[in-house]
Amino acid sequence: MSSTTPGPQSVERALEILDLVADAGGPVGAKAMARRLGCSLSTVYHLLGPLTARGHLVRARGGGYAPGPRVAALHRSFQRHVGAGPGVGEVLAKLRRASGAEAYFTAYRDGRITVVDSTAPVTDPDHPFVPGPEVRAHATAHGKVLLAGVERGVRRRYLAEHGMARFTDRTITTAERFEAELARVRGQGFAVSVGEADPAYTCVAMVVPGGGEGVLHALSVSLPTAEFRRRHARVRAAVAECVRGFSGGAGNTGA
């Protein structure tokens, strides 16, 4: 089947283009796309036409392609579907002020964990935690509290599918140790990850009650480990206070 004819291969290539542009630090040219995808330039232009026409991509002023306005609408739709109501941004801003750390709203749904929203600057490409699919759930505090809230069989399937890669020398990479860690998380009501996903950062998370059928939510913060050690009590208290406010309706998470 030709790569330019409608069908699964064209769909796969179009999605690869979207991922490539989304992950790039700036606009991406068609020739660069063709090289990365290992296909012809004509194939790339064939797919860029409908992607730009539908607003998923735009032609940048200086050349190349960048994410288009349709992406924002898709993100808002995704937020609604995982229960992130209009109050989430306000809660995260409050948590940022109270803790002095970047704040996050994360959701579990249908076997996937996603960082839905964050106060981390979008202009900081070096920040270790950004909105999007969470591929380090076993090494993050928000991943731990969310996985601690699902049934063991569901959790085993999740870990089998996503693996338990080692990111630092502190990362838990065995199911037995991870189950022990989650038992501790359930007992104390919060999760901490000290340098497990990124060697320089600590994150703290708590589950937000009332996520809905098959959906779990978490609030978390991340900060340099040295700062956490100096004011860990204040940071945990700030997360707990925002979770209580969220549960009382401040987050308005009804989908």
Side-chain angles (χ1 to χ4, degrees):
M1 178 177 61
S2 169
S3 62
T4 60
T5 57
Q9 190 175 14
S10 290
V11 172
E12 182 68 22
R13 286 266 169 80
L15 293 174
E16 288 176 344
I17 288 175
L18 290 175
D19 286 341
L20 179 60
V21 173
D23 293 338
V28 183
K31 290 182 180 179
M33 294 180 195
R35 287 194 299 271
R36 290 286 299 276
L37 272 58
C39 64
S40 68
L41 187 59
S42 62
T43 295
V44 169
Y45 278 122
H46 176 82
L47 297 171
L48 286 172
L51 288 174
T52 53
R54 290 175 176 268
H56 295 288
L57 296 177
V58 293
R59 186 72 184 268
R61 183 173 299 178
Y65 292 82
R70 180 62 182 157
V71 175
L74 291 173
H75 181 59
R76 288 195 298 272
S77 177
F78 174 74
Q79 288 179 313
R80 290 195 301 272
H81 280 278
V82 297
V88 167
E90 296 177 10
V91 172
L92 293 180
K94 177 182 177 181
L95 180 53
R96 174 68 177 84
R97 292 191 299 270
S99 66
E102 302 299 352
Y104 310 84
F105 177 79
T106 306
Y108 170 93
R109 182 184 183 186
D110 298 330
R112 295 181 181 272
I113 293 176
T114 306
V115 179
V116 180
D117 203 358
S118 166
T119 61
V122 296
T123 55
D124 182 4
D126 297 323
H127 193 78
F129 307 106
V130 295
E134 179 55 86
V135 298
R136 303 174 292 181
H138 65 288
T140 64
H142 51 253
K144 290 179 185 180
V145 292
L146 292 172
L147 289 175
V150 302
E151 296 180 356
R152 186 164 185 167
V154 174
R155 183 163 58 248
R156 284 179 172 175
R157 287 193 295 274
Y158 179 92
L159 295 175
E161 179 179 351
H162 295 276
M164 301 184 70
R166 181 178 296 281
F167 300 107
T168 75
D169 60 0
R170 291 177 173 268
T171 307
I172 298 173
T173 58
T174 67
E176 294 78 10
R177 281 192 60 203
F178 194 62
E179 285 298 328
E181 173 72 2
L182 296 192
R184 183 160 46 250
V185 168
R186 287 189 288 268
Q188 64 192 14
F190 63 90
V192 179
S193 170
V194 182
E196 295 177 42
D198 183 284
Y201 278 79
T202 288
C203 46
V204 182
M206 295 181 184
V207 165
V208 178
E213 183 66 28
V215 179
L216 296 173
H217 297 146
L219 283 179
S220 63
V221 296
S222 74
L223 67 167
T225 296
E227 290 186 30
F228 174 75
R229 288 171 175 159
R230 288 196 302 268
R231 50 192 183 89
H232 58 88
R234 172 193 167 190
V235 169
R236 287 202 304 268
V239 176
E241 178 63 26
C242 282
V243 165
R244 286 193 292 270
F246 211 111
S247 303
N252 189 24
T253 60

Tab-separated table of all heavy atoms in Angstrom, residues 117-172:
chain	number	residue	atom	x	y	z
A	117	ASP	N	-2.389	19.048	34.324
A	117	ASP	CA	-2.123	20.489	34.409
A	117	ASP	C	-1.008	20.719	35.414
A	117	ASP	O	-0.755	19.886	36.292
A	117	ASP	CB	-3.380	21.248	34.817
A	117	ASP	CG	-3.337	22.715	34.402
A	117	ASP	OD1	-2.309	23.151	33.839
A	117	ASP	OD2	-4.321	23.430	34.646
A	118	SER	N	-0.359	21.862	35.299
A	118	SER	CA	0.807	22.148	36.132
A	118	SER	C	1.049	23.647	36.191
A	118	SER	O	0.651	24.388	35.273
A	118	SER	CB	2.041	21.443	35.557
A	118	SER	OG	3.236	21.935	36.127
A	119	THR	N	1.726	24.093	37.249
A	119	THR	CA	2.156	25.489	37.331
A	119	THR	C	3.566	25.675	36.778
A	119	THR	O	4.052	26.799	36.706
A	119	THR	CB	2.145	25.985	38.785
A	119	THR	OG1	3.065	25.192	39.570
A	119	THR	CG2	0.759	25.905	39.387
A	120	ALA	N	4.246	24.591	36.401
A	120	ALA	CA	5.609	24.697	35.874
A	120	ALA	C	5.592	25.513	34.582
A	120	ALA	O	4.726	25.306	33.728
A	120	ALA	CB	6.191	23.313	35.617
A	121	PRO	N	6.525	26.435	34.423
A	121	PRO	CA	6.527	27.283	33.215
A	121	PRO	C	6.676	26.456	31.944
A	121	PRO	O	7.555	25.594	31.858
A	121	PRO	CB	7.751	28.190	33.421
A	121	PRO	CG	8.034	28.141	34.884
A	121	PRO	CD	7.626	26.776	35.339
A	122	VAL	N	5.825	26.713	30.964
A	122	VAL	CA	5.917	25.987	29.700
A	122	VAL	C	7.170	26.381	28.932
A	122	VAL	O	7.591	25.688	27.999
A	122	VAL	CB	4.673	26.233	28.820
A	122	VAL	CG1	3.436	25.685	29.495
A	122	VAL	CG2	4.504	27.724	28.514
A	123	THR	N	7.789	27.497	29.331
A	123	THR	CA	9.003	27.960	28.651
A	123	THR	C	10.262	27.330	29.223
A	123	THR	O	11.359	27.628	28.751
A	123	THR	CB	9.115	29.490	28.768
A	123	THR	OG1	9.051	29.864	30.157
A	123	THR	CG2	7.984	30.180	28.016
A	124	ASP	N	10.110	26.469	30.235
A	124	ASP	CA	11.272	25.837	30.859
A	124	ASP	C	11.400	24.407	30.353
A	124	ASP	O	10.790	23.486	30.900
A	124	ASP	CB	11.126	25.849	32.386
A	124	ASP	CG	12.326	25.243	33.095
A	124	ASP	OD1	13.302	24.877	32.398
A	124	ASP	OD2	12.304	25.120	34.332
A	125	PRO	N	12.206	24.178	29.311
A	125	PRO	CA	12.304	22.830	28.741
A	125	PRO	C	13.062	21.856	29.627
A	125	PRO	O	13.015	20.643	29.406
A	125	PRO	CB	13.056	23.066	27.421
A	125	PRO	CG	13.892	24.282	27.682
A	125	PRO	CD	13.066	25.141	28.599
A	126	ASP	N	13.752	22.375	30.638
A	126	ASP	CA	14.553	21.511	31.500
A	126	ASP	C	13.802	21.029	32.734
A	126	ASP	O	14.342	20.239	33.514
A	126	ASP	CB	15.832	22.243	31.943
A	126	ASP	CG	16.737	22.579	30.767
A	126	ASP	OD1	16.815	21.751	29.846
A	126	ASP	OD2	17.345	23.665	30.773
A	127	HIS	N	12.577	21.516	32.924
A	127	HIS	CA	11.833	21.078	34.102
A	127	HIS	C	11.511	19.584	33.982
A	127	HIS	O	11.065	19.132	32.923
A	127	HIS	CB	10.544	21.870	34.267
A	127	HIS	CG	9.900	21.678	35.595
A	127	HIS	ND1	10.348	22.306	36.731
A	127	HIS	CD2	8.867	20.893	35.978
A	127	HIS	CE1	9.613	21.923	37.761
A	127	HIS	NE2	8.716	21.063	37.330
A	128	PRO	N	11.746	18.800	35.047
A	128	PRO	CA	11.626	17.339	34.916
A	128	PRO	C	10.213	16.793	34.854
A	128	PRO	O	10.015	15.636	34.482
A	128	PRO	CB	12.345	16.822	36.169
A	128	PRO	CG	12.188	17.928	37.168
A	128	PRO	CD	12.253	19.196	36.374
A	129	PHE	N	9.210	17.583	35.214
A	129	PHE	CA	7.833	17.096	35.219
A	129	PHE	C	6.962	18.060	34.415
A	129	PHE	O	6.836	19.224	34.773
A	129	PHE	CB	7.305	16.967	36.646
A	129	PHE	CG	8.199	16.153	37.538
A	129	PHE	CD1	8.979	16.773	38.494
A	129	PHE	CD2	8.273	14.779	37.405
A	129	PHE	CE1	9.819	16.025	39.318
A	129	PHE	CE2	9.109	14.024	38.211
A	129	PHE	CZ	9.881	14.646	39.172
A	130	VAL	N	6.363	17.563	33.354
A	130	VAL	CA	5.563	18.414	32.478
A	130	VAL	C	4.242	17.714	32.176
A	130	VAL	O	4.139	16.489	32.279
A	130	VAL	CB	6.300	18.709	31.155
A	130	VAL	CG1	7.555	19.526	31.401
A	130	VAL	CG2	6.642	17.412	30.423
A	131	PRO	N	3.198	18.468	31.798
A	131	PRO	CA	1.933	17.840	31.426
A	131	PRO	C	2.104	16.879	30.260
A	131	PRO	O	2.908	17.100	29.360
A	131	PRO	CB	1.054	19.039	31.046
A	131	PRO	CG	1.610	20.175	31.841
A	131	PRO	CD	3.096	19.947	31.855
A	132	GLY	N	1.335	15.792	30.320
A	132	GLY	CA	1.390	14.784	29.274
A	132	GLY	C	1.391	13.391	29.868
A	132	GLY	O	1.258	13.214	31.089
A	133	PRO	N	1.519	12.367	29.045
A	133	PRO	CA	1.537	10.985	29.542
A	133	PRO	C	2.675	10.785	30.537
A	133	PRO	O	3.801	11.224	30.305
A	133	PRO	CB	1.757	10.153	28.270
A	133	PRO	CG	1.319	11.038	27.151
A	133	PRO	CD	1.637	12.439	27.571
A	134	GLU	N	2.386	10.142	31.641
A	134	GLU	CA	3.394	9.885	32.680
A	134	GLU	C	4.038	8.528	32.420
A	134	GLU	O	3.383	7.493	32.559
A	134	GLU	CB	2.748	9.918	34.066
A	134	GLU	CG	3.714	9.635	35.202
A	134	GLU	CD	4.909	10.556	35.183
A	134	GLU	OE1	4.813	11.656	35.738
A	134	GLU	OE2	5.945	10.167	34.585
A	135	VAL	N	5.299	8.543	32.027
A	135	VAL	CA	6.007	7.297	31.732
A	135	VAL	C	6.872	6.842	32.908
A	135	VAL	O	7.535	5.818	32.828
A	135	VAL	CB	6.896	7.454	30.477
A	135	VAL	CG1	6.039	7.777	29.269
A	135	VAL	CG2	7.959	8.542	30.675
A	136	ARG	N	6.837	7.612	34.014
A	136	ARG	CA	7.665	7.277	35.179
A	136	ARG	C	6.806	7.122	36.435
A	136	ARG	O	7.220	7.474	37.531
A	136	ARG	CB	8.716	8.373	35.412
A	136	ARG	CG	9.627	8.627	34.231
A	136	ARG	CD	10.545	9.824	34.476
A	136	ARG	NE	9.797	11.067	34.521
A	136	ARG	CZ	10.357	12.274	34.694
A	136	ARG	NH1	11.658	12.379	34.827
A	136	ARG	NH2	9.616	13.354	34.721
A	137	ALA	N	5.596	6.582	36.270
A	137	ALA	CA	4.649	6.555	37.382
A	137	ALA	C	5.206	5.835	38.603
A	137	ALA	O	4.963	6.255	39.746
A	137	ALA	CB	3.343	5.905	36.942
A	138	HIS	N	5.944	4.748	38.412
A	138	HIS	CA	6.469	3.999	39.554
A	138	HIS	C	7.548	4.760	40.303
A	138	HIS	O	7.906	4.390	41.423
A	138	HIS	CB	7.030	2.653	39.079
A	138	HIS	CG	8.214	2.795	38.175
A	138	HIS	ND1	8.108	3.254	36.882
A	138	HIS	CD2	9.535	2.537	38.373
A	138	HIS	CE1	9.316	3.277	36.326
A	138	HIS	NE2	10.190	2.847	37.193
A	139	ALA	N	8.042	5.858	39.694
A	139	ALA	CA	9.131	6.618	40.308
A	139	ALA	C	8.694	7.996	40.777
A	139	ALA	O	9.509	8.756	41.301
A	139	ALA	CB	10.286	6.756	39.312
A	140	THR	N	7.416	8.337	40.605
A	140	THR	CA	6.915	9.651	41.010
A	140	THR	C	5.912	9.507	42.148
A	140	THR	O	5.253	8.475	42.290
A	140	THR	CB	6.220	10.363	39.836
A	140	THR	OG1	5.068	9.612	39.442
A	140	THR	CG2	7.162	10.524	38.654
A	141	ALA	N	5.777	10.574	42.922
A	141	ALA	CA	4.822	10.544	44.030
A	141	ALA	C	3.392	10.465	43.522
A	141	ALA	O	2.573	9.712	44.063
A	141	ALA	CB	5.014	11.781	44.908
A	142	HIS	N	3.062	11.235	42.481
A	142	HIS	CA	1.676	11.173	41.984
A	142	HIS	C	1.372	9.804	41.390
A	142	HIS	O	0.264	9.301	41.527
A	142	HIS	CB	1.382	12.296	40.980
A	142	HIS	CG	2.355	12.426	39.866
A	142	HIS	ND1	3.273	13.448	39.793
A	142	HIS	CD2	2.556	11.672	38.754
A	142	HIS	CE1	3.991	13.327	38.697
A	142	HIS	NE2	3.574	12.255	38.049
A	143	GLY	N	2.352	9.189	40.738
A	143	GLY	CA	2.141	7.834	40.218
A	143	GLY	C	1.909	6.837	41.334
A	143	GLY	O	1.043	5.946	41.222
A	144	LYS	N	2.645	6.971	42.413
A	144	LYS	CA	2.496	6.040	43.539
A	144	LYS	C	1.113	6.134	44.171
A	144	LYS	O	0.467	5.107	44.425
A	144	LYS	CB	3.563	6.316	44.595
A	144	LYS	CG	4.978	5.949	44.192
A	144	LYS	CD	5.937	6.288	45.326
A	144	LYS	CE	7.382	6.061	44.960
A	144	LYS	NZ	8.294	6.398	46.077
A	145	VAL	N	0.644	7.365	44.446
A	145	VAL	CA	-0.649	7.468	45.129
A	145	VAL	C	-1.786	6.997	44.223
A	145	VAL	O	-2.770	6.426	44.702
A	145	VAL	CB	-0.946	8.898	45.651
A	145	VAL	CG1	-0.011	9.277	46.766
A	145	VAL	CG2	-0.929	9.922	44.538
A	146	LEU	N	-1.656	7.216	42.925
A	146	LEU	CA	-2.709	6.762	42.015
A	146	LEU	C	-2.691	5.244	41.866
A	146	LEU	O	-3.742	4.595	41.903
A	146	LEU	CB	-2.546	7.433	40.648
A	146	LEU	CG	-2.825	8.943	40.647
A	146	LEU	CD1	-2.458	9.553	39.300
A	146	LEU	CD2	-4.284	9.233	40.980
A	147	LEU	N	-1.510	4.656	41.738
A	147	LEU	CA	-1.429	3.193	41.627
A	147	LEU	C	-1.795	2.513	42.938
A	147	LEU	O	-2.297	1.384	42.934
A	147	LEU	CB	-0.030	2.785	41.179
A	147	LEU	CG	0.309	3.129	39.727
A	147	LEU	CD1	1.769	2.798	39.419
A	147	LEU	CD2	-0.609	2.392	38.763
A	148	ALA	N	-1.570	3.190	44.052
A	148	ALA	CA	-1.969	2.635	45.353
A	148	ALA	C	-3.479	2.553	45.481
A	148	ALA	O	-4.000	1.769	46.283
A	148	ALA	CB	-1.394	3.477	46.488
A	149	GLY	N	-4.193	3.331	44.664
A	149	GLY	CA	-5.653	3.370	44.769
A	149	GLY	C	-6.392	2.433	43.845
A	149	GLY	O	-7.622	2.394	43.881
A	150	VAL	N	-5.673	1.687	42.999
A	150	VAL	CA	-6.340	0.740	42.110
A	150	VAL	C	-6.151	-0.678	42.635
A	150	VAL	O	-5.295	-0.934	43.483
A	150	VAL	CB	-5.792	0.844	40.660
A	150	VAL	CG1	-5.979	2.247	40.127
A	150	VAL	CG2	-4.325	0.442	40.597
A	151	GLU	N	-6.957	-1.606	42.137
A	151	GLU	CA	-6.846	-2.990	42.574
A	151	GLU	C	-5.494	-3.573	42.155
A	151	GLU	O	-4.897	-3.161	41.151
A	151	GLU	CB	-7.980	-3.819	41.966
A	151	GLU	CG	-9.363	-3.400	42.440
A	151	GLU	CD	-10.448	-4.247	41.803
A	151	GLU	OE1	-10.104	-5.094	40.956
A	151	GLU	OE2	-11.624	-4.058	42.154
A	152	ARG	N	-5.048	-4.565	42.916
A	152	ARG	CA	-3.722	-5.124	42.669
A	152	ARG	C	-3.592	-5.713	41.260
A	152	ARG	O	-2.561	-5.559	40.613
A	152	ARG	CB	-3.395	-6.197	43.711
A	152	ARG	CG	-1.971	-6.721	43.605
A	152	ARG	CD	-1.560	-7.472	44.837
A	152	ARG	NE	-0.169	-7.874	44.767
A	152	ARG	CZ	0.528	-8.320	45.809
A	152	ARG	NH1	-0.048	-8.406	46.991
A	152	ARG	NH2	1.789	-8.668	45.671
A	153	GLY	N	-4.642	-6.379	40.783
A	153	GLY	CA	-4.595	-6.932	39.441
A	153	GLY	C	-4.455	-5.854	38.381
A	153	GLY	O	-3.715	-6.020	37.411
A	154	VAL	N	-5.174	-4.753	38.563
A	154	VAL	CA	-5.070	-3.624	37.634
A	154	VAL	C	-3.669	-3.045	37.678
A	154	VAL	O	-3.073	-2.715	36.644
A	154	VAL	CB	-6.110	-2.541	37.986
A	154	VAL	CG1	-5.908	-1.297	37.130
A	154	VAL	CG2	-7.519	-3.090	37.819
A	155	ARG	N	-3.130	-2.934	38.876
A	155	ARG	CA	-1.780	-2.389	39.033
A	155	ARG	C	-0.732	-3.285	38.373
A	155	ARG	O	0.203	-2.804	37.724
A	155	ARG	CB	-1.478	-2.221	40.520
A	155	ARG	CG	-0.149	-1.592	40.822
A	155	ARG	CD	-0.098	-1.078	42.236
A	155	ARG	NE	-0.348	-2.095	43.237
A	155	ARG	CZ	-1.429	-2.134	44.012
A	155	ARG	NH1	-2.375	-1.225	43.889
A	155	ARG	NH2	-1.583	-3.088	44.928
A	156	ARG	N	-0.885	-4.586	38.534
A	156	ARG	CA	0.060	-5.510	37.912
A	156	ARG	C	0.039	-5.390	36.396
A	156	ARG	O	1.082	-5.428	35.737
A	156	ARG	CB	-0.268	-6.945	38.333
A	156	ARG	CG	0.159	-7.289	39.760
A	156	ARG	CD	-0.219	-8.718	40.097
A	156	ARG	NE	0.333	-9.124	41.378
A	156	ARG	CZ	0.070	-10.286	41.959
A	156	ARG	NH1	-0.742	-11.155	41.361
A	156	ARG	NH2	0.601	-10.588	43.127
A	157	ARG	N	-1.176	-5.256	35.839
A	157	ARG	CA	-1.275	-5.090	34.386
A	157	ARG	C	-0.620	-3.786	33.946
A	157	ARG	O	0.052	-3.733	32.910
A	157	ARG	CB	-2.743	-5.130	33.945
A	157	ARG	CG	-3.365	-6.522	34.008
A	157	ARG	CD	-4.683	-6.559	33.268
A	157	ARG	NE	-5.693	-5.720	33.887
A	157	ARG	CZ	-6.494	-6.106	34.870
A	157	ARG	NH1	-6.382	-7.327	35.378
A	157	ARG	NH2	-7.411	-5.280	35.363
A	158	TYR	N	-0.814	-2.734	34.741
A	158	TYR	CA	-0.204	-1.445	34.410
A	158	TYR	C	1.320	-1.563	34.391
A	158	TYR	O	1.982	-1.122	33.448
A	158	TYR	CB	-0.633	-0.382	35.429
A	158	TYR	CG	-0.022	0.976	35.148
A	158	TYR	CD1	-0.696	1.901	34.375
A	158	TYR	CD2	1.242	1.311	35.632
A	158	TYR	CE1	-0.137	3.140	34.087
A	158	TYR	CE2	1.811	2.540	35.347
A	158	TYR	CZ	1.117	3.439	34.575
A	158	TYR	OH	1.680	4.659	34.283
A	159	LEU	N	1.892	-2.167	35.425
A	159	LEU	CA	3.348	-2.285	35.510
A	159	LEU	C	3.893	-3.216	34.430
A	159	LEU	O	4.983	-2.990	33.897
A	159	LEU	CB	3.755	-2.770	36.898
A	159	LEU	CG	3.434	-1.807	38.047
A	159	LEU	CD1	3.774	-2.447	39.384
A	159	LEU	CD2	4.184	-0.494	37.870
A	160	ALA	N	3.134	-4.256	34.096
A	160	ALA	CA	3.574	-5.162	33.035
A	160	ALA	C	3.607	-4.440	31.692
A	160	ALA	O	4.503	-4.677	30.865
A	160	ALA	CB	2.653	-6.378	32.962
A	161	GLU	N	2.645	-3.551	31.480
A	161	GLU	CA	2.582	-2.830	30.212
A	161	GLU	C	3.617	-1.725	30.119
A	161	GLU	O	4.256	-1.531	29.078
A	161	GLU	CB	1.184	-2.233	30.019
A	161	GLU	CG	1.036	-1.432	28.728
A	161	GLU	CD	-0.360	-0.866	28.558
A	161	GLU	OE1	-1.258	-1.223	29.346
A	161	GLU	OE2	-0.557	-0.058	27.628
A	162	HIS	N	3.817	-1.004	31.220
A	162	HIS	CA	4.678	0.178	31.194
A	162	HIS	C	6.097	-0.093	31.704
A	162	HIS	O	6.997	0.713	31.461
A	162	HIS	CB	4.048	1.304	32.016
A	162	HIS	CG	2.754	1.803	31.453
A	162	HIS	ND1	2.677	2.753	30.460
A	162	HIS	CD2	1.471	1.450	31.726
A	162	HIS	CE1	1.422	2.984	30.159
A	162	HIS	NE2	0.660	2.210	30.913
A	163	GLY	N	6.279	-1.200	32.425
A	163	GLY	CA	7.606	-1.515	32.919
A	163	GLY	C	7.977	-0.700	34.157
A	163	GLY	O	7.235	0.183	34.596
A	164	MET	N	9.142	-1.004	34.698
A	164	MET	CA	9.652	-0.291	35.874
A	164	MET	C	11.110	0.071	35.608
A	164	MET	O	12.037	-0.443	36.227
A	164	MET	CB	9.514	-1.153	37.131
A	164	MET	CG	8.097	-1.576	37.447
A	164	MET	SD	7.944	-2.504	39.001
A	164	MET	CE	8.263	-1.202	40.210
A	165	ALA	N	11.304	0.977	34.675
A	165	ALA	CA	12.652	1.374	34.277
A	165	ALA	C	13.371	2.069	35.428
A	165	ALA	O	12.747	2.717	36.279
A	165	ALA	CB	12.581	2.307	33.072
A	166	ARG	N	14.690	1.935	35.446
A	166	ARG	CA	15.511	2.606	36.461
A	166	ARG	C	15.937	3.965	35.928
A	166	ARG	O	16.605	4.064	34.903
A	166	ARG	CB	16.743	1.769	36.796
A	166	ARG	CG	17.619	2.420	37.876
A	166	ARG	CD	18.807	1.550	38.231
A	166	ARG	NE	18.391	0.297	38.835
A	166	ARG	CZ	18.019	0.160	40.122
A	166	ARG	NH1	18.001	1.220	40.915
A	166	ARG	NH2	17.659	-1.009	40.585
A	167	PHE	N	15.529	5.030	36.631
A	167	PHE	CA	15.898	6.385	36.232
A	167	PHE	C	17.051	6.935	37.067
A	167	PHE	O	17.832	7.743	36.580
A	167	PHE	CB	14.685	7.311	36.336
A	167	PHE	CG	13.540	6.884	35.465
A	167	PHE	CD1	12.403	6.320	36.017
A	167	PHE	CD2	13.609	7.015	34.085
A	167	PHE	CE1	11.349	5.908	35.223
A	167	PHE	CE2	12.561	6.607	33.279
A	167	PHE	CZ	11.422	6.051	33.841
A	168	THR	N	17.131	6.516	38.332
A	168	THR	CA	18.227	6.907	39.209
A	168	THR	C	18.560	5.704	40.087
A	168	THR	O	17.879	4.667	40.038
A	168	THR	CB	17.852	8.103	40.116
A	168	THR	OG1	16.990	7.647	41.171
A	168	THR	CG2	17.144	9.201	39.321
A	169	ASP	N	19.572	5.854	40.923
A	169	ASP	CA	19.919	4.742	41.814
A	169	ASP	C	18.909	4.558	42.932
A	169	ASP	O	18.978	3.582	43.687
A	169	ASP	CB	21.327	4.932	42.391
A	169	ASP	CG	21.477	6.218	43.189
A	169	ASP	OD1	20.492	6.991	43.302
A	169	ASP	OD2	22.581	6.470	43.699
A	170	ARG	N	17.924	5.470	43.033
A	170	ARG	CA	16.869	5.360	44.052
A	170	ARG	C	15.570	4.756	43.513
A	170	ARG	O	14.662	4.453	44.275
A	170	ARG	CB	16.549	6.743	44.643
A	170	ARG	CG	17.657	7.336	45.499
A	170	ARG	CD	17.251	8.725	45.964
A	170	ARG	NE	18.186	9.288	46.912
A	170	ARG	CZ	18.086	9.177	48.235
A	170	ARG	NH1	17.058	8.522	48.754
A	170	ARG	NH2	18.978	9.728	49.041
A	171	THR	N	15.473	4.587	42.201
A	171	THR	CA	14.226	4.095	41.602
A	171	THR	C	13.912	2.673	42.056
A	171	THR	O	14.782	1.800	42.030
A	171	THR	CB	14.329	4.112	40.069
A	171	THR	OG1	14.736	5.405	39.631
A	171	THR	CG2	12.985	3.773	39.447
A	172	ILE	N	12.671	2.450	42.444
A	172	ILE	CA	12.204	1.104	42.783
A	172	ILE	C	11.891	0.371	41.482
A	172	ILE	O	11.081	0.838	40.676
A	172	ILE	CB	10.955	1.166	43.675
A	172	ILE	CG1	11.285	1.860	45.003
A	172	ILE	CG2	10.395	-0.233	43.926
A	172	ILE	CD1	10.074	2.105	45.878
